[in-house]
Amino acid sequence: MKGAAKRVALEGVGWLLVVAGIAALILPGPGLLMVFGGLAILSQQYEWAERRLAPIKFRALKGAAESVETIPRVVASVTGALLLFVAGAVWIWSPPAPGWWPFSDGWWLPGGLATAVTQIASGFIALALVVYSYRRFHGHPDAVTQLAAEREKADTAAHWGDD
């Protein structure tokens, strides 16, 4: 019985991460990272999830490498993370709707404290990912090529049943 509860809990977390990750692909947040985490959990139970791990990992790492290829990209990534902190602070401050706001005041800064907390958490995650990406990929112009070669090797091994 205990094993079944653990499996259900892990599947629930896995699916939650996948769904939240898909949402975060268009909303603020580390979408590919969450999809990858969800698939990593689900891959323990499902072969289809295991087969999809390598492409998601490649896309996430490729995006991380490309985000720190140049100093302007690093600055843009850090600026985006800092804007998440600013947005969270504005949500906490919760100023009244400005006069130019064309909608009902109820549509001004919806979500309240919960939105602020998730924006600030996303800012911390984004900064951590920028630091990780910078340390791992910046100054390595062949990083994306190496990632593609690693993916090709993994795809070939999976095709032939090797490790």
Side-chain angles (χ1 to χ4, degrees):
M1 188 69 161
K2 190 175 185 180
K6 181 180 177 182
R7 179 179 174 185
V8 169
L10 283 175
E11 282 189 46
V13 170
W15 281 111
L16 178 66
L17 283 171
V18 168
V19 170
I22 290 169
L25 289 173
I26 56 171
L27 299 171
L32 279 178
L33 180 66
M34 290 192 295
V35 170
F36 176 72
L39 286 176
I41 292 170
L42 292 173
S43 72
Q44 297 174 14
Q45 301 294 329
Y46 300 107
E47 186 178 319
W48 63 263
E50 188 172 349
R51 286 191 311 265
R52 285 164 178 80
L53 270 178
I56 297 292
K57 180 180 178 183
F58 170 73
R59 286 187 186 104
L61 291 176
K62 181 181 177 194
E66 290 173 345
S67 73
V68 295
E69 280 180 335
T70 64
I71 294 300
R73 286 185 178 187
V74 173
V75 169
S77 297
V78 170
T79 300
L82 294 176
L83 286 174
L84 286 169
F85 288 116
V86 170
V90 169
W91 252 260
I92 289 172
W93 174 39
S94 194
W100 55 263
W101 183 249
F103 305 106
S104 163
D105 287 359
W107 287 94
W108 176 251
L109 302 177
L113 186 60
T115 300
V117 169
T118 58
Q119 288 175 334
I120 291 169
S122 292
F124 278 116
I125 292 168
L127 280 179
L129 290 173
V130 170
V131 169
Y132 165 80
S133 300
Y134 187 86
R135 292 184 68 176
R136 179 166 179 193
F137 299 115
H138 187 75
H140 300 88
D142 59 340
V144 174
T145 306
Q146 287 177 345
L147 289 172
E150 289 173 18
R151 180 179 179 200
E152 183 67 30
K153 182 179 176 184
D155 288 348
T156 302
H159 177 74
W160 295 104
D162 300 335
D163 287 332

